[in-house]
């Protein structure tokens, strides 16, 4: 299923916008160079995950050292702080197998289209 | 008493619901001040307002930081990296999460079919760390009047735990008797301090609790081992938040053991205690070790008439949030079976804190009878009619949700 969700100009850089896709709430995020879309449901306790922050995080590092990275690629759930890779929907560093449902994003004729990975037509 | 459809619990007042009509009881919800301690000003005598400088105009920058000035270490102690609060629990930009009773009723109660929510703590969880016992007593009394006035009158599904100063047991006992009969009051939050709770200095508190029929609720203070009056943290001072968070249940295990071995439940058989957010699975270790030790060491504490695990089952409840999430989910029910704790555990969400449990997820998959006990039955048994029966019509103002004029 492929759905147009609005003109590309409506998706401002650095902003998460929540759209309706066939009755499902989906968050579309513009990193400034790429658009990503994920289902607005956290697989852990069903939180509205897209109301969280898009940020970076501390990368795995040596003891007592900090190494910040992945800026703008990490979606952090507003409840328990689970961190997901926006581009894949997977948790970072494989803490957990449950993942976000992601959508393919494309821009055609100035419109943003989302496509469900699971259902094809 | 007429039968009450569950749907009628929302909105208008109704007659007393039957316990079997209740869908879910949440035993741990935190109401917050909108403007810090200034919210308590209407409930404090002039002299305390002056002492606490609440009558003075604060500068704009001062309202944004907890101590009205940036102070280390207070502003940077144990802070979870996702933030201490659910980011979606704020009623609007700049609003403190869970500071608007009507918003919480919609955001938490309506959405999760919660028919009763026990409000406890909030900004005052660390009261026991205050060095000044008179100040602690004044804050506790003002908080209780605020809780009753602003929150318990706002929605008939709210119930509340009054706050008492552990460092001032005489004042705590007076406070219990002062507000015990206010509509909506169902328990007493006793913040743990640097003295284990079995000690004799707390007898006046337990006497008042047993006399009024209100259970004692223990909740994490967030200050464990930080201030010299805070509860000690086992082994030393944790460095990281996660270290504090996984270690702190031992503080509550130790306090429960203290209550048992000092014979508090023999001395005050009407007393009931709940550990709120203090961990769950330590119960197995405590019961096994306790009963084994009792076989050998009973004569040290000869006032214990029964295996200690029986006192735990008869007098103590635990709220389950943060719900254990074992890799094999069926292990939780096995833990309950091993400890025979099916009547001890109560659902809680800890709203609006970051480690909130959504009942749709945390209770999912439990055997039906166990789920019902956690969701409703154990809380009804623990809090009794104060929880279930409808509030008097005059008590519920209908979601006013603001400071009194």
């Amino acid at each position: 299923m492929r759905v147009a969700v609005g003109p590309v100009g409506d998706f401002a850089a650095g902003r998460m916008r929540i759209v309706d896709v066939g009755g499902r709430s989906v968050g579309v995020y513009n990193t400034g160079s790429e658009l990503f879309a994920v289902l607005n449901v956290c697989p852990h306790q069903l939180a509205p995950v897209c109301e969280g922050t898009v940020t970076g995080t501390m990368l795995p590092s040596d003891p007592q050292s900090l190494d910040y990275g992945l800026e703008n690629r990490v979606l952090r759930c507003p409840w328990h702080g689970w961190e997901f890779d926006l581009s894949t929907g997977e948790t970072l560093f494989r803490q957990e197998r449950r993942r976000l449902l992601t959508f393919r994003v494309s821009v055609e004729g100035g419109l943003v289209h989302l496509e469900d990975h699971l259902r094809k037509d | 008493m007429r039968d009450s459809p569950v749907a009628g619990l929302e909105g208008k007042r109704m007659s007393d619901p039957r316990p079997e009509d209740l869908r879910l009881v949440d035993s741990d919800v935190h109401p917050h001040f909108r403007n810090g301690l200034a919210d308590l000003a209407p409930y404090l005598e002039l002299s305390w307002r002056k002492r606490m400088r609440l009558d003075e105009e604060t500068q704009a920058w001062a309202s944004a930081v907890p101590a009205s000035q940036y102070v280390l270490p207070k502003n940077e102690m144990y802070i979870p990296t996702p933030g201490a609060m659910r980011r979606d629990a704020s009623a609007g930009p700049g609003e403190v999460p869970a500071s608007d009773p009507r918003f919480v009723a919609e955001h938490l109660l309506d959405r999760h079919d919660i028919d009763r929510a026990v409000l406890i703590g909030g900004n005052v969880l660390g009261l026991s760390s205050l060095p000044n016992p008179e100040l602690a007593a004044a804050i506790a009394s003002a908080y209780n009047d605020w809780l009753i006035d602003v929150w318990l009158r706002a929605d008939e599904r709210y119930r509340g735990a009054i706050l008492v100063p552990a460092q001032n047991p005489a004042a705590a006992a007076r406070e219990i008797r002062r507000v015990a009969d206010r509509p909506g009051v169902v328990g007493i939050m006793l913040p743990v301090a640097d003295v284990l709770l079995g000690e004799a200095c707390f007898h006046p508190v337990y006497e008042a609790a047993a006399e009024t029929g209100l259970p004692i609720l223990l909740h994490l203070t967030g200050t464990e081992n930080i201030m010299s009056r805070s509860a000690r943290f086992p082994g030393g001072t944790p460095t990281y938040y996660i270290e504090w968070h996984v270690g702190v249940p031992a503080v509550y295990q130790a306090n429960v053991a203290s209550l048992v071995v000092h014979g508090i439940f023999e001395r005050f058989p009407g007393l009931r205690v709940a550990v709120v957010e203090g961990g769950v699975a330590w119960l197995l270790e405590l019961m096994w070790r306790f009963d084994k030790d009792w076989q050998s060491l009973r004569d040290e504490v000869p006032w214990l008439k029964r295996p200690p695990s029986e006192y735990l089952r008869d007098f103590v409840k635990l709220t389950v949030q943060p719900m254990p999430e074992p890799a094999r989910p069926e292990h939780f029910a096995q833990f309950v079976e091993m400890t025979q704790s099916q009547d001890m555990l109560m659902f809680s969400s800890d709203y609006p804190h970051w480690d909130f449990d959504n009942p749709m997820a945390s209770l999912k998959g439990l055997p039906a009878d166990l789920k019902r006990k956690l969701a409703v039955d154990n809380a009804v048994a623990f809090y009794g009619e104060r929880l279930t029966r409808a509030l008097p019509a005059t008590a519920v103002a209908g979601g006013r949700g603001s400071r009194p004029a």
Side-chain angles (χ1 to χ4, degrees):
Chain A
M1 187 177 67
R2 193 155 163 277
V3 179
V5 293
V8 67
D10 288 356
F11 296 86
R15 298 294 296 274
M16 176 73 79
R17 191 169 157 224
I18 294 173
V19 299
D20 181 275
V21 177
R24 292 186 294 176
S25 174
V26 176
V28 181
Y29 187 81
N30 180 357
T31 65
S33 57
E34 274 180 287
L35 288 162
F36 294 107
V38 298
L39 189 69
N40 187 18
V41 177
C42 181
H44 173 219
Q45 290 212 6
L46 316 179
V49 63
C50 296
E51 293 179 31
T53 47
V54 177
T55 176
T57 192
M58 298 297 171
L59 306 176
S61 61
D62 292 331
Q64 282 74 56
S65 68
L66 297 176
D67 183 11
Y68 185 83
L70 291 174
E71 180 69 358
N72 250 341
R73 290 301 288 266
V74 180
L75 175 58
R76 187 138 210 210
C77 183
W79 291 4
H80 304 97
W82 281 28
E83 296 175 310
F84 297 94
D85 185 327
L86 253 184
S87 62
T88 65
E90 294 172 349
T91 56
L92 297 174
F93 320 124
R94 303 174 61 189
Q95 301 109 309
E96 166 65 39
R97 285 193 303 177
R98 284 174 281 184
R99 50 182 289 174
L100 297 178
L101 187 63
T102 57
F103 292 75
R104 286 196 197 90
V105 186
S106 55
V107 180
E108 280 176 40
L111 290 177
V112 174
H113 292 80
L114 304 187
E115 188 174 358
D116 192 319
H117 283 278
L118 300 178
R119 287 185 278 173
K120 299 197 169 86
D121 52 18
Chain B
M1 188 176 85
R2 68 174 167 82
D3 290 351
S4 309
V6 167
L9 287 171
E10 292 159 14
K12 288 186 300 187
R13 257 200 88 249
M14 53 172 294
S15 59
D16 296 329
R18 299 175 305 181
E20 57 267 35
D21 290 332
L22 297 176
R23 296 167 298 182
L24 186 59
V25 178
D26 185 343
S27 288
D28 187 23
V29 177
H30 298 303
H32 287 94
F33 301 140
R34 282 184 163 154
N35 298 295
L37 285 174
D39 281 17
L40 295 186
Y43 308 102
L44 286 160
E45 291 175 6
L46 176 66
S47 50
W48 276 115
R49 294 202 304 272
K50 292 294 183 188
R51 168 64 64 86
M52 294 168 68
R53 292 175 298 281
L54 295 178
D55 280 356
E56 297 170 19
E57 284 207 12
T58 49
Q59 300 177 53
W61 58 264
S63 63
V65 284
S68 292
Q69 54 186 333
Y70 193 85
V71 171
L72 290 174
K74 283 192 225 167
N75 294 59
E76 280 295 340
M77 291 192 302
Y78 298 127
I79 301 186
T81 54
M85 303 288 175
R86 268 178 61 169
R87 300 183 76 96
D88 59 343
S90 171
E95 293 283 321
V96 175
S99 62
D100 179 337
R102 277 176 297 184
F103 176 80
V104 173
E106 290 167 18
H107 194 227
L108 176 68
L109 308 187
D110 291 351
R111 286 195 193 182
H112 300 93
D113 296 336
I114 292 168
D115 291 324
R116 294 288 184 266
V118 178
L119 305 169
I120 180 171
N123 308 68
V124 295
L125 291 169
L127 186 80
S128 55
S129 298
L130 285 180
N132 181 336
E134 294 89 36
L135 175 65
I139 289 175
S141 292
Y143 168 88
N144 293 336
D145 288 337
W146 168 86
L147 181 74
I148 292 163
D149 198 30
V150 175
W151 284 83
L152 299 188
R153 294 172 55 160
D155 191 293
E156 69 170 0
R157 292 168 292 182
Y158 288 138
R159 297 294 182 272
I162 58 170
L163 173 71
V164 297
Q167 61 275 69
N168 194 339
R174 280 197 303 275
E175 181 65 9
I176 291 169
R177 293 186 174 98
R178 183 180 77 88
V179 290
D181 290 332
R182 303 287 175 86
V185 170
V186 297
I188 302 159
M189 178 182 153
L190 178 63
V192 299
D194 58 343
V195 179
L196 288 166
L197 291 176
E199 294 213 23
C201 61
F202 295 111
H203 285 182
V205 180
Y206 304 142
E207 187 178 6
E211 175 190 311
T212 58
L214 289 172
I216 296 281
L217 311 176
L218 313 180
H219 189 287
L220 310 189
T221 70
T223 62
E224 286 82 0
N225 224 48
I226 296 173
M227 315 292 184
S228 67
R229 289 282 172 87
S230 306
R232 299 283 184 271
F233 193 95
T237 303
T239 304
Y240 302 107
Y241 177 86
I242 189 172
E243 189 179 9
W244 170 81
H245 198 246
V246 299
V248 76
V251 173
Y252 296 85
Q253 178 179 345
N255 274 288
V256 167
S258 177
L259 289 167
V260 172
V261 299
H262 282 261
I264 294 296
F265 300 121
E266 286 286 344
R267 186 182 288 271
F268 303 102
L271 190 67
R272 298 291 182 274
V273 174
V275 177
V276 180
E277 206 182 347
V280 178
W282 50 256
L283 196 59
L284 183 66
E285 162 77 353
L286 184 63
M287 283 182 167
W288 282 355
R289 194 174 176 98
F290 229 158
D291 286 357
K292 180 183 166 88
D293 277 356
W294 186 66
Q295 298 294 333
S296 307
L297 307 173
R298 185 213 54 81
D299 63 334
E300 186 191 16
V301 285
W303 42 84
L304 294 192
K305 313 296 194 303
R306 297 185 282 151
S309 65
E310 293 189 12
Y311 291 100
L312 297 174
R313 290 191 193 92
D314 287 352
F315 293 94
V316 177
K317 296 270 188 285
L318 308 176
T319 67
V320 292
Q321 180 277 338
M323 186 73 171
E325 296 180 9
R328 286 171 57 185
E330 66 271 22
H331 284 173
F332 182 78
Q334 291 176 17
F335 153 78
V336 174
E337 201 271 332
M338 281 191 279
T339 48
Q340 288 297 295
S341 58
Q342 60 277 1
D343 296 324
M344 297 180 68
L345 308 177
M346 304 190 292
F347 169 78
S348 56
S349 76
D350 193 29
Y351 183 94
H353 285 168
W354 70 278
D355 46 352
F356 167 83
D357 264 341
N358 178 1
M360 301 293 288
S362 74
L363 298 178
K364 190 181 171 192
L366 294 182
D369 54 341
L370 181 59
K371 184 175 177 178
R372 178 69 194 177
K373 283 174 179 285
L374 266 65
V376 176
D377 293 352
N378 292 345
V380 168
F382 184 67
Y383 294 108
E385 285 196 347
R386 289 173 184 265
L387 182 82
T388 54
R389 73 176 178 229
L391 300 181
T394 52
V396 180
R400 184 174 46 152
S402 60
R403 283 175 57 177

